[in-house]
Amino acid sequence: MKRPTNLLAAGALAALTIALPAVAQDFDKVEVTAEKAAGNIHVLFGAGGNIGVSSGADGVFIIDDQYAPLTPKIRAAVKGISDQPIRYVINTHYHGDHTGGNENFGTGGSVIVAHDNVRVRLAAGSFVKAFNMKNPPAPSGALPVITFDSELSLHFNGEEARAIHVKNAHTDGDSIIWFRGSNALHMGDTFFNNRFPFIDVDGGGSINGIIAAAEKALRIADDKTVIIPGHGPLTDKAGLTEYRDMLIEARSRVEALKKKGESLEAIVAAKPLADMPAKWQTDNEAWPGMFIGFVYNSL
């Protein structure tokens, strides 16, 4: 079903920097900062998806790598944590704000690891209908060279990092990364902390899958687990539980209206999520409507 043009345009502006390839951004002004998460794990904040960093005697590996122009700043931030080389990069999914630095790191000696579908989508190129964004095929140096179907373990820096595929969540190639020893969990874009998430329906994502991903993570986590979202600040099991509950409530409201035969346009106009806590709404008034569209089109 066709979306209202004004809603698409406004919503796209709200999401360009959280989901898609580099657009007109001034990367010179971006500051990449590091924060200790837990154990051997840090998180880097910059422009794009949050980067997990494991450091120790074996070297460094990172989870996601934001945009290509930020690679020097990312390397500098990692140097502030460890002078060891970055041996591996794990991509949580295919979007450009998480994989844009792949070629820089891959040709620089890092081994890129991801779910099978990440390599497929990067190699083929993609089109994200919700934002009218075409992504060309990635160069060979940007493609993951180790891929997996369900789960993969990297035994590194004295602990197991378990990459776990969660089906049809934010995309069809999402992984969450569980650091068993450090008790930290990187959620990728299956978790947008403090906002309604972007669900890439055209890329295989769904509201049911993103809820299932949260529930899987909650079964892994305990009350001391540090949780790294794809976007937003660090949180814990309670924060993820609140997010999961919001997703379930949003699905229930949209699904009930869809079952009554209401069109997407009518549901968006009715603003069924308007009374939900302000933290989820963001400062862009069109974004709740975009989120309703993601839910509606994936049910």
Side-chain angles (χ1 to χ4, degrees):
M1 185 173 293
K2 186 177 180 181
R3 300 175 189 275
T5 302
N6 61 340
L7 176 64
L8 173 60
L13 290 174
L16 285 174
T17 61
I18 62 174
L20 300 170
V23 291
Q25 297 188 60
D26 187 350
F27 289 108
D28 289 340
K29 295 181 179 179
V30 173
E31 182 182 5
V32 177
T33 60
E35 181 179 337
K36 180 70 175 289
N40 294 331
I41 309 306
H42 288 73
V43 60
L44 303 183
F45 301 99
N50 295 335
I51 298 175
V53 181
S54 168
S55 61
D58 296 328
V60 173
F61 84 83
I62 63 175
I63 300 171
D64 292 334
D65 51 32
Q66 297 190 358
Y67 297 107
L70 294 176
T71 298
K73 293 184 178 183
I74 292 168
R75 290 190 182 278
V78 170
K79 282 289 187 183
I81 299 168
S82 171
D83 60 2
Q84 298 278 3
I86 300 172
R87 293 181 56 188
Y88 298 94
V89 176
I90 298 180
N91 294 150
T92 60
H93 62 291
Y94 80 95
H95 288 151
D97 65 320
H98 295 255
T99 63
N102 272 16
E103 184 176 22
N104 294 336
F105 286 101
T107 58
S110 303
V111 176
I112 302 173
V113 182
H115 183 264
D116 295 335
N117 290 341
V118 175
R119 181 181 170 95
V120 170
R121 289 192 177 277
L122 287 175
S126 60
F127 178 71
V128 182
K129 184 179 179 181
F131 306 110
N132 195 33
M133 295 288 281
K134 184 176 182 180
N135 309 312
S140 60
L143 299 178
V145 297
I146 296 176
T147 64
F148 61 94
D149 178 20
S150 179
E151 298 187 10
L152 174 146
S153 285
L154 183 60
H155 298 273
F156 200 76
N157 291 332
E159 68 177 323
E160 178 186 6
R162 188 75 171 171
I164 304 166
H165 174 53
V166 286
K167 295 181 179 180
N168 301 105
H170 175 62
T171 69
D172 63 3
D174 298 293
S175 297
I176 59 176
I177 317 300
W178 169 226
F179 296 96
R180 295 179 183 270
S182 295
N183 198 11
L185 184 62
H186 194 302
M187 297 286 294
D189 277 6
T190 66
F191 185 12
F192 282 61
N193 194 13
N194 294 340
R195 73 185 72 178
F196 292 131
F198 166 45
I199 303 174
D200 185 356
V201 180
D202 299 304
S206 69
I207 183 62
N208 290 334
I210 210 165
I211 290 170
E215 291 177 334
K216 188 176 189 70
L218 288 170
R219 290 193 295 270
I220 293 172
D222 61 33
D223 291 340
K224 295 183 179 180
T225 304
V226 175
I227 297 179
I228 305 170
H231 298 271
L234 296 175
T235 189
D236 55 15
K237 188 173 184 177
L240 180 57
T241 299
E242 185 180 13
Y243 175 75
R244 185 274 315 271
D245 292 347
M246 175 276 291
L247 293 173
I248 291 174
E249 178 63 21
R251 177 183 63 183
S252 177
R253 295 183 186 190
V254 174
E255 187 172 36
L257 292 170
K258 185 173 184 178
K259 285 182 176 179
K260 289 181 179 180
E262 298 284 351
S263 69
L264 172 58
E265 287 81 0
I267 296 173
V268 170
K271 299 183 177 181
L273 310 183
D275 66 333
M276 298 184 78
K279 64 181 287 183
W280 307 118
Q281 308 286 343
T282 77
D283 59 359
N284 186 296
E285 64 181 12
W287 188 246
M290 294 293 290
F291 174 59
I292 288 169
F294 305 143
V295 176
Y296 181 99
N297 288 323
S298 69
L299 286 171

